[in-house]
């Protein structure tokens, strides 16, 4: 079943159109990556879907038109992780994660003990156990992203929307975090839409990749089923001369890598 | 409870005990300082004059000092959080000046104290709208922009004030306005504080209850929206309530500088976070600063001095320090 359905979405800033007539779906249990060059509109797509910027066309989240939803209902359906948090004051990590429960709380209500213990569990899940009382501002950018992930997971949303989550994470944490998202998405029948720069990570963890070029979806890659030659051809249309290889790791697992063809 | 949480909670409790005790001491001391000497013996013996001075003048004055400092501390916390700027406070962004100009208009055109309060609120609201509009012009988002916007708003409010003074009756209204601008708790009596205190207390209770919403607004607008906050409405509610509590005090006392900047910063330094207890601690510290400044205003010279002389003496260097700190951070 489709968790997110984007239909003919066009979005931009002022008179400048960044995306034109974008349509795609994300099904439950599916991780969908958005890839493209810098400035191609990956972040704009997420902002258009979540109604943050003006747009035409529709985005249906769990069957409901996002543009008709109140910010509270929209927030209860989407777990959103921005490229960088705008939190500007000293707050303990636990308080940042508890922000994720806001859609479930009334205006003057405070998080209850169940929410606090769930927030602690989410902090543990993202590997930051024991850091609950640390100042969020003093964490590294990568750790901050993990806290925001814990906040998005705490809210029991239908779809996770993540804007370059991996950009501040080191190599090891990047794969660990993606595997964690993968497990949570599968077990909770959620969907995930991620804008990504790390193609190798995207090829090895996403179920589907949307390639954005010249304001439109240039192609869609299904890494698990598409032929390597096809994937290479599609990625070359975005990144220029690249080669894609399937290699076997020590544990006999297959992984894909994209390499840049050196210029002659 | 985790050991570190328990420790933080113990630390906060200790801070509340210390500042609570300090506030009680200052409150009692302030009751017995002033032109007319009050003594415990005199009050116990039932001296009618002493009791009248105590209930009509002294107690009202100290209660307004307590409520005013608390309101400025809480409003400062909200302004800093909602504007996402450590330099924001009611006086820095020009809200107090707007309230002063509004109150002067109230003194000139109406006689009732409630109308003076309403005019002060109107002036403060116009000031906050102007400050937000001026801040938006700087797309660079520098932290000191809000200070520059405040200077502009302050200048406009001063111009309005000058015009009002020109048309004021020199015998009665001009003196009231002049006295008012200086900022003092002198002249507070039990007959004028009732409705203002009720407005102030109601506003403060609502602001404390809305603490969680103010924290959500400390993230960027997009992030807050995706956390389910109706960003524009909530900003308006929080800034409107903060402006209301500041106006309800400023319309009685006149301009009081820097308490709204100093108090929340001291509380945040002491607790290291922005929890609701830090917000309330900021209020307690604000009360301590204002009552102490009022005691000094009444006791260091033969004539009574404006309280802002003392609050500015600490506040102005602190503002410069914050601006330099901000420059280092960016």
């Amino acid at each position: 079943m489709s968790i997110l359905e984007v239909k003919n979405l066009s979005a931009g800033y002022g008179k400048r159109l960044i995306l034109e007539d974008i349509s795609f779906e994300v099904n439950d249990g599916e991780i969908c990556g958005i890839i493209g060059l810098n400035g191609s509109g990956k972040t704009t797509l997420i902002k258009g879907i979540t109604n943050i910027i003006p747009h035409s066309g529709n985005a249906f989240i769990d069957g409901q038109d996002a543009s008709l939803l109140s910010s509270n209902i929209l927030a209860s359906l989407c777990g959103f992780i921005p490229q960088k948090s705008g939190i500007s004051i000293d707050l303990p990590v636990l308080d940042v994660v508890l922000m994720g429960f806001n859609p479930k709380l009334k205006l003057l209500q405070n998080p209850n003990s169940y929410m606090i213990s769930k927030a602690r569990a989410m902090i543990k899940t993202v590997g930051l156990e024991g850091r609950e009382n640390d100042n969020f501002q003093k964490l590294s950018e990568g750790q901050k992203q993990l806290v925001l992930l814990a906040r998005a997971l705490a809210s029991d949303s239908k779809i996770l929307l993540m804007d370059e989550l991996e950009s501040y994470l080191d190599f090891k944490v990047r794969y660990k975090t993606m595997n964690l998202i993968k497990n949570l998405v599968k077990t909770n029948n959620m969907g995930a839409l991620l804008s990504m720069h790390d193609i190798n990570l995207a090829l090895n963890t996403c179920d589907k990749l949307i390639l954005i070029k010249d304001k439109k979806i240039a192609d869609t890659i299904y890494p698990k089923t598409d032929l390597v030659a096809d994937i290479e051809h599609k990625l070359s249309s975005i990144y220029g001369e690249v080669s894609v290889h399937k290699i076997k790791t020590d544990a006999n697992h297959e992984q894909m890598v994209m390499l840049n063809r050196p210029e002659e | 409870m985790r050991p570190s949480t328990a420790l933080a909670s113990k630390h906060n409790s200790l801070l509340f005990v210390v500042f609570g005790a300090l506030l009680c001491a200052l409150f009692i001391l302030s009751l017995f300082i002033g032109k007319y000497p009050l003594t415990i013996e005199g009050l116990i013996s039932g001296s009618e004059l002493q009791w009248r001075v105590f209930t009509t003048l002294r107690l009202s004055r100290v209660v307004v000092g307590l409520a005013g400092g608390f309101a400025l501390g809480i409003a400062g916390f909200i302004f800093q959080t909602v504007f996402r700027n450590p330099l924001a406070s009611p006086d820095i962004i020009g809200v107090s000046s707007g309230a002063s100009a509004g109150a002067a208009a109230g003194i000139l055109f109406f006689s009732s104290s409630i109308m003076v309060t309403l005019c002060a609120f109107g002036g403060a609201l116009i000031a906050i709208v102007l400050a937000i509009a001026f801040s938006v012009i700087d797309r660079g988002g520098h932290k000191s922009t809000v200070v520059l916007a405040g200077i502009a708003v302050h200048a406009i409010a001063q111009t309005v004030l000058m015009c009002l003074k020109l048309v004021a009756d020199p015998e009665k209204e001009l003196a009231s306005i002049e006295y008012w601008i200086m900022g003092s708790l002198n002249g507070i009596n039990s007959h004028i504080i009732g409705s203002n205190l009720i407005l102030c207390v109601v506003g403060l209770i609502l602001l404390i209850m809305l603490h969680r919403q103010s924290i959500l607004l400390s993230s960027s607008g997009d992030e807050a929206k995706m956390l389910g906050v109706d960003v524009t409405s909530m900003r308006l509610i929080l800034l409107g309530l903060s402006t209301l509590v500041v106006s309800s005090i400023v319309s009685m006392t006149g301009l009081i500088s820097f308490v709204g900047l100093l108090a929340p910063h001291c509380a945040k330094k002491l607790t290291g976070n922005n929890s609701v207890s830090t917000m309330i601690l900021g209020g307690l510290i604000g009360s301590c600063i204002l009552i102490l400044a009022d005691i000094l205003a009444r006791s260091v010279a033969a004539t009574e001095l404006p309280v802002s002389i003392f609050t500015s003496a600490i506040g102005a260097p602190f503002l410069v320090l914050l601006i330099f700190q901000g420059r280092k951070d960016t």
Side-chain angles (χ1 to χ4, degrees):
Chain A
M1 191 196 144
S2 161
I3 292 276
L4 171 70
E5 188 182 0
V6 178
K7 273 187 179 171
N8 312 109
L9 190 132
S10 299
Y13 302 93
K15 287 179 182 169
R16 209 171 123 239
L17 205 60
I18 306 284
L19 294 171
E20 221 177 296
D21 206 24
I22 301 282
S23 298
F24 66 95
E25 283 184 18
V26 179
N27 294 320
D28 55 9
E30 193 173 60
I31 297 184
C32 176
I34 313 163
I35 55 176
L37 298 177
N38 285 334
S40 58
K42 300 186 291 295
T43 302
T44 308
L45 178 56
I46 291 179
K47 286 187 173 178
I49 291 168
T50 50
N51 249 341
I52 290 172
I53 56 169
H55 59 87
S56 62
N58 305 87
F60 296 94
I61 300 169
D62 204 27
Q64 302 178 69
D65 189 341
S67 59
L68 303 175
L69 299 175
S70 68
S71 47
N72 209 38
I73 294 176
L74 186 63
S76 67
L77 292 172
C78 306
F80 174 66
I81 302 177
Q83 227 169 62
K84 200 174 178 184
S85 171
I87 293 172
S88 53
I89 55 172
D90 294 330
L91 283 178
V93 165
L94 182 65
D95 286 9
V96 176
V97 177
L98 286 171
M99 285 178 168
F101 291 102
N102 185 54
K104 291 183 176 166
L105 293 168
K106 294 200 174 91
L107 191 68
L108 302 178
Q109 208 180 356
N110 284 313
N112 56 31
S113 53
Y114 165 75
M115 290 169 178
I116 293 170
S117 53
K118 191 170 179 197
R120 287 184 189 281
M122 287 302 143
I123 292 169
K124 188 180 173 185
T125 304
V126 299
L128 292 174
E129 194 185 11
R131 310 293 298 270
E132 291 86 349
N133 296 307
D134 287 9
N135 185 351
F136 178 76
Q137 299 294 355
K138 301 269 164 75
L139 300 181
S140 71
E141 289 303 323
Q143 288 169 328
K144 282 182 185 172
Q145 288 302 98
L146 292 174
V147 174
L148 298 186
L149 175 63
R151 184 175 75 180
L153 294 174
S155 59
D156 289 335
S157 48
K158 292 280 175 191
I159 186 153
L160 295 172
L161 299 168
M162 300 177 238
D163 195 2
E164 292 179 21
L165 173 75
E166 89 280 13
S167 53
Y168 290 107
L169 304 178
D170 64 49
F171 182 79
K172 193 180 168 189
V173 177
R174 233 174 236 205
Y175 277 85
K176 207 173 154 187
T177 307
M178 278 305 287
N179 284 328
L180 168 74
I181 293 168
K182 215 170 160 177
N183 285 338
L184 287 164
V185 163
K186 304 274 181 223
T187 48
N188 297 318
N189 284 332
M190 303 160 76
L193 180 69
L194 303 90
S195 79
M196 298 176 89
H197 267 306
D198 185 338
I199 305 305
N200 291 336
L201 181 72
L203 284 170
N204 291 303
T205 50
C206 294
D207 300 299
K208 179 162 84 178
L209 295 175
I210 291 167
L211 278 62
I212 296 184
K213 191 186 175 187
D214 299 331
K215 302 178 187 174
K216 299 197 182 256
I217 294 182
D219 255 313
T220 305
I221 294 175
Y222 297 91
K224 284 168 194 158
T225 51
D226 281 1
L227 295 172
V228 172
D230 285 345
I231 295 173
E232 187 176 286
H233 175 72
K234 287 172 182 175
L235 288 173
S236 294
S237 71
I238 302 273
Y239 297 104
E241 287 295 296
V242 294
S243 61
V244 176
H245 309 271
K246 232 175 203 173
I247 54 165
K248 281 196 172 165
T249 61
D250 291 345
N252 220 19
H253 287 135
E254 275 194 336
Q255 289 225 333
M256 257 188 277
V257 285
M258 183 181 88
L259 298 172
N260 188 29
R261 284 210 174 107
E263 286 175 23
E264 286 175 12
Chain B
M1 195 184 277
R2 298 181 64 82
S4 50
T5 316
L7 210 66
S9 159
K10 205 175 166 187
H11 175 69
N12 280 0
S13 307
L14 186 69
L15 286 170
F16 271 95
V17 168
V18 169
F19 281 98
L22 179 64
L23 184 59
C24 285
L26 288 168
F27 190 96
I28 293 165
L29 182 66
S30 184
L31 286 172
F32 292 96
I33 287 180
K35 268 186 194 162
Y36 185 85
L38 286 184
T39 57
I40 297 173
E41 294 81 19
L43 289 171
I44 292 170
S45 68
S47 157
E48 197 186 323
L49 186 61
Q50 288 219 13
W51 270 106
R52 200 185 303 160
V53 170
F54 180 80
T55 52
T56 319
L57 300 176
R58 223 46 85 64
L59 188 62
S60 325
R61 182 175 185 147
V62 189
V63 167
V64 169
L66 184 136
F70 199 87
L72 289 168
I74 297 283
F77 181 96
I78 295 286
F79 276 76
Q80 284 160 21
T81 313
V82 174
F83 277 101
R84 304 172 63 226
N85 191 323
L87 301 175
S89 72
D91 46 326
I92 301 286
I93 69 165
V95 168
S96 300
S97 306
S100 300
I107 291 170
L108 206 58
F109 302 119
F110 309 98
S111 51
S112 71
S113 65
I114 189 75
M115 282 311 291
V116 175
T117 307
L118 287 176
C119 288
F121 181 55
L125 274 184
I126 294 170
I128 202 166
V129 169
L130 286 175
I132 292 169
F134 294 157
S135 308
V136 168
I137 293 169
D138 177 28
R139 288 178 185 274
H142 297 108
K143 285 198 163 49
S144 48
T145 306
V146 78
V147 180
L148 297 176
I151 291 169
V153 173
H154 182 70
I156 294 168
Q158 287 301 311
T159 311
V160 173
L161 210 52
M162 268 191 277
C163 295
L164 291 170
K165 276 155 73 175
L166 276 176
V167 295
D169 170 12
E171 295 287 314
K172 286 168 70 185
E173 294 153 354
L174 186 62
S176 296
I177 293 172
E178 281 293 356
Y179 169 76
W180 207 84
I181 293 162
M182 284 196 293
S184 169
L185 302 186
N186 189 13
I188 303 278
N189 61 61
S190 57
H191 308 299
I192 64 163
I193 64 171
S195 51
N196 284 42
L197 274 185
I198 291 169
L199 270 181
C200 181
V201 171
V202 171
L204 285 172
I205 291 169
L206 287 171
L207 282 174
I208 292 169
M209 289 170 86
L210 287 167
H211 168 267
R212 193 175 63 79
Q213 298 296 326
S214 74
I215 294 298
L216 287 163
L217 286 177
S218 73
S219 54
S220 66
D222 294 349
E223 204 178 337
K225 188 187 168 190
M226 289 311 296
L227 288 167
V229 182
D230 186 343
V231 177
T232 312
S233 313
M234 194 42 67
R235 270 196 187 135
L236 282 176
I237 290 170
L238 287 170
L239 292 178
L241 282 172
S242 307
T243 305
L244 178 72
V245 297
V246 171
S247 313
S248 66
I249 293 302
V250 171
S251 62
M252 291 189 285
T253 62
L255 211 62
I256 293 170
S257 308
F258 291 109
V259 177
L261 179 77
L262 268 171
H265 271 289
C266 292
K268 287 175 199 174
K269 281 269 175 231
L270 289 167
T271 62
N273 62 46
N274 284 270
S275 63
V276 70
S277 51
T278 305
M279 186 188 193
I280 296 169
L281 186 67
L284 282 182
I285 295 174
S287 298
C288 289
I289 294 173
L290 188 53
I291 294 179
L292 180 65
D294 186 42
I295 290 173
L296 293 171
R298 277 182 277 167
S299 51
V300 296
T303 53
E304 188 162 330
L305 300 170
V307 280
S308 285
I309 289 181
F310 301 98
T311 53
S312 302
I314 328 166
F318 187 71
L319 174 64
V320 175
L321 186 78
L322 282 177
I323 291 174
F324 275 108
Q325 252 181 8
R327 289 258 182 264
K328 264 191 218 168
D329 292 344
T330 49

